[in-house]
Amino acid sequence: MKLTTTITAWIYEYAQENKINSLVVGVSGGIDSAVVSTLCAKTGLPTILVNMPILQRVGQIDRAMNHINWLADNHDNVSSMVINLDKTYDLYTKFDLSEVMMSDLVKANTRARLRMTTLYAVAGSNNGIVVGTGNKVEDFGVGFFTKYGDGGVDISPIADFLKSEVYEMAKELGISQEIQDAPPTDGLWGDDRTDEDQLGATYDELEWAMGWFAEFEKPESDVRNWKLTERQNEVLEIYDKLHKSNLHKMTPIPIFQNCGKFK
């Protein structure tokens, strides 16, 4: 059985066991959301694809719509919504928080959180669940997601797969070459900056670093003896810094333990 068929069955079984009527996916025009939305469409369950531009580059919007239309043409269970959040974002940042000095990063995270809220509004109105689109490197390696933004989901079908594996799924699923060739970007900045621009390394490099650190933890590993290039050492530093600084996103929220001592 193909891997994508197995994941699709897993999504379907989860929905059936939890009496879920619909699957809701935010489609950005990137490879991860394209793969996840296609996996959901193949379940045969009502699948709602949501395009949520916020001061978005036209090319990103068009890629998302091309993919959504492709799925809708090939799957009767697929429907779509375009919810433009330009005015919502503008009102929120310029009026409700007019006295707060918001950095560009805070503004980018605000976009992600507005999208999360929108997806849950759609899901809640359709007895649905929000299906996550994060991959393993982002979700458990460098923490490249917004806490309570794109990290706020109900299930994560591809969170245990590396970016390179997601690309393999895309080929298997027949995802358009337009999306496969597009440089990965979170689309949160209103410009053309890529994930690599933000991270300082490619996904291939980060995958390598993630594997290196996993091997380093093994007592009998020989990676300590490897002769690394200058770039490899630089990538390890980038990965380690990102992993440590974003660890709060990837671990459970700290809870003070009462232990019955305080009543």
Side-chain angles (χ1 to χ4, degrees), residues 220-237:
E220 299 179 357
S221 174
D222 66 346
V223 296
R224 296 173 181 82
N225 301 321
W226 288 6
K227 292 184 178 180
L228 302 178
T229 65
E230 182 178 348
R231 177 56 182 170
Q232 286 175 325
N233 278 308
E234 183 181 3
V235 169
L236 288 177
E237 289 180 10

Side-chain angles (χ1 to χ4, degrees), residues 241-261:
K241 181 179 179 180
L242 289 169
H243 181 80
K244 289 177 178 176
S245 64
N246 289 320
L247 199 58
H248 66 98
K249 303 180 189 179
M250 300 179 276
T251 54
I253 297 171
I255 299 175
F256 175 78
Q257 298 297 317
N258 187 352
C259 301
K261 295 180 181 179

